[in-house]
Amino acid sequence: MTTAAPVPEIHGHVAPGFEAVSAAFEANFAQGAELGARFALVRNGDLIVDLWAGHADRARTQPFAADTLTPLFSTTKAVAALMVARLVDQGRLTYDQPVAEVWPAFAQAGKADITVEQALSHQAGLSGFVEAVEPSLWFDWDATCAKLAAMAPLWPPGTASGYHPVTYGYLAGEIFRRVDGRTLGTALREDLAQPFDLDLWIGLPDAEHDRCAELQRPPAFPDFGEINVATRAAFLEPWSSPGGRGQAEWRRAEIPSANGHATAPALARLMGALASGGWLDGEMILSPALIAEMSRERITGQDLVLPFVMSWGAGVMRNGPLKPWGPGEETFGHSGWGGSCAFADRQTGLAGAYVMNKQSAHLLGDPRAKRLIEAAYASL
């Protein structure tokens, strides 16, 4: 007989009719699946669910609080995709133009024809570095971008997707910087986070570090299926992810694929704008046409890096065919290492975000988040 884990006090609020979400949130703790977590839902611009509980540290001495920040890992990619989409919306960039038009050095090694949307939908063949580099290279933005610009694709661009877990951030971020002049994280702070009071960061100032949740690493390594060169470069080499500089340097860096930090309501409100015509607090941050264009399918099929059949928009995961975020065919968003996720469903006006600090080994569709999202849809 399995003994239920003690359930910590659950904070926040749930709109009438969505009590099943609260029950699902409590069940995750009762099953011992959580250390600290938060889940937020927005519908038609209104925050209808905001729940948090547990501890922000592994020793269980610090409460997971209303201002606790959690690392988003790859859920950050959805935010980066939105920032690039805003450039397209402003007429400063097009999805179908070659990356090399804004970043001339990128034309090296047979990459002259790779388009912005191909780079954003993981079709560029640059999932990681095959040859050894120092893991600290990732902290040098210009050096990393120069190495990507010089790199030959690992497969013919445009023929398949192969998930770019870290390099996506440098591709999206350098495209953004070349057009806008600011780094993507700076523009996020100045254009969206500060004006709309979103506790959402790519590049976390030292003054905010004390609010960060401490991670409990996954109990096992993810199952990547059949390992190939692209998978190994993306995930499995000693240099596949940033290292050697410590946690503070990691938080401080701007890596728009991997190191966003946020609260669940901030992320849910941003995704909520994408689910409701682009409106955030009475202002349109992205036109409906661009939301549709960003989330439109660019490629579908067996991914060369992830062990799934994937459907990719311009920087966002599409819900089908795996359905990690409810039943909607046109729902889109992103998931992150360890379990975090954010999604937007234009058909129902529903958007949500799940963050936590006890990581699981699931690459996509973490059962804890699925339980919460399924309870939300059952409540509609």
Side-chain angles (χ1 to χ4, degrees):
M1 182 177 174
T2 304
T3 304
V7 176
E9 182 181 358
I10 293 174
H11 305 273
H13 73 272
V14 176
F18 285 83
E19 292 82 5
V21 180
S22 183
F25 191 73
E26 183 175 325
N28 283 341
F29 280 93
Q31 292 181 2
E34 300 285 21
L35 174 59
R38 193 168 188 178
F39 183 61
L41 278 176
V42 168
R43 190 174 193 198
N44 298 326
D46 295 325
L47 186 65
I48 57 172
V49 172
D50 182 17
L51 297 169
W52 67 94
H55 294 89
D57 63 330
R58 292 192 295 271
R60 298 176 184 262
T61 62
Q62 301 295 324
F64 197 102
D67 67 345
T68 297
L69 291 171
T70 42
L72 304 177
F73 293 97
S74 286
T75 301
T76 310
K77 291 180 174 72
V79 180
L82 167 60
M83 295 302 293
V84 175
R86 282 167 57 83
L87 295 181
V88 179
D89 212 12
Q90 293 159 9
R92 302 163 72 191
L93 182 73
T94 64
Y95 282 129
D96 61 359
Q97 76 183 96
V99 173
E101 284 189 5
V102 300
W103 179 4
F106 190 79
Q108 298 175 74
K111 301 195 302 300
D113 295 330
I114 293 175
T115 63
V116 171
E117 62 190 357
Q118 286 175 330
L120 294 175
S121 57
H122 305 271
Q123 299 184 66
L126 307 173
S127 59
F129 298 127
V130 175
E131 296 176 358
V133 300
E134 286 295 324
S136 61
L137 174 80
W138 299 102
F139 292 103
D140 185 333
W141 182 271
D142 290 339
T144 301
C145 289
K147 193 162 185 65
L148 284 170
M151 180 179 169
L154 300 180
W155 63 88
T159 61
S161 72
Y163 185 52
H164 293 40
V166 183
T167 56
Y168 167 99
Y170 296 85
L171 297 174
E174 186 66 0
I175 290 166
F176 187 94
R177 188 182 71 84
R178 295 268 174 162
V179 175
D180 185 84
R182 297 172 294 172
T183 66
L184 191 150
T186 297
L188 171 67
R189 183 178 70 251
E190 293 177 353
D191 298 350
L192 294 178
Q194 288 178 343
F196 295 99
D197 194 25
L198 300 175
D199 202 354
L200 170 62
W201 310 78
I202 299 176
L204 190 67
D206 289 10
E208 311 293 341
H209 289 198
D210 287 348
R211 297 196 286 133
C212 291
E214 187 179 52
L215 294 174
Q216 183 174 324
R217 298 292 185 179
F221 209 63
D223 179 8
F224 292 108
E226 185 177 340
I227 304 301
N228 57 41
V229 171
T231 305
R232 188 168 295 283
F235 283 113
L236 302 175
E237 299 290 7
W239 57 85
S240 290
S241 59
R245 291 286 182 86
Q247 189 175 68
E249 190 73 13
W250 159 257
R251 290 171 176 165
R252 201 177 293 130
E254 290 187 28
I255 305 175
S257 48
N259 78 335
H261 288 75
T263 64
L267 200 52
R269 286 177 58 212
L270 189 65
M271 297 303 286
L274 302 181
S276 54
W279 293 97
L280 180 59
D281 295 351
E283 289 189 40
M284 184 175 286
I285 64 167
L286 196 65
S287 71
L290 246 297
I291 297 170
E293 181 63 12
M294 176 181 69
S295 59
R296 175 176 65 81
E297 184 174 89
R298 295 321 198 277
I299 191 166
T300 187
Q302 177 60 51
D303 194 85
L304 297 182
V305 171
L306 296 174
F308 308 121
V309 173
M310 298 295 296
S311 173
W312 292 105
V316 290
M317 293 178 172
R318 288 166 48 81
N319 203 30
L322 297 173
K323 297 289 198 301
W325 312 304
E329 290 292 338
E330 297 301 317
T331 301
F332 61 93
H334 221 288
S335 294
W337 180 53
S340 71
C341 69
F343 69 93
D345 178 356
R346 293 187 298 142
Q347 292 175 305
T348 61
L350 192 68
Y354 167 74
V355 300
M356 76 302 129
N357 61 341
K358 183 176 183 177
Q359 296 185 295
S360 79
H362 294 273
L363 287 169
L364 188 61
D366 187 290
R368 298 168 296 180
K370 285 196 76 168
R371 168 184 270 166
L372 294 165
I373 294 166
E374 286 169 2
Y377 274 93
S379 303
L380 292 179

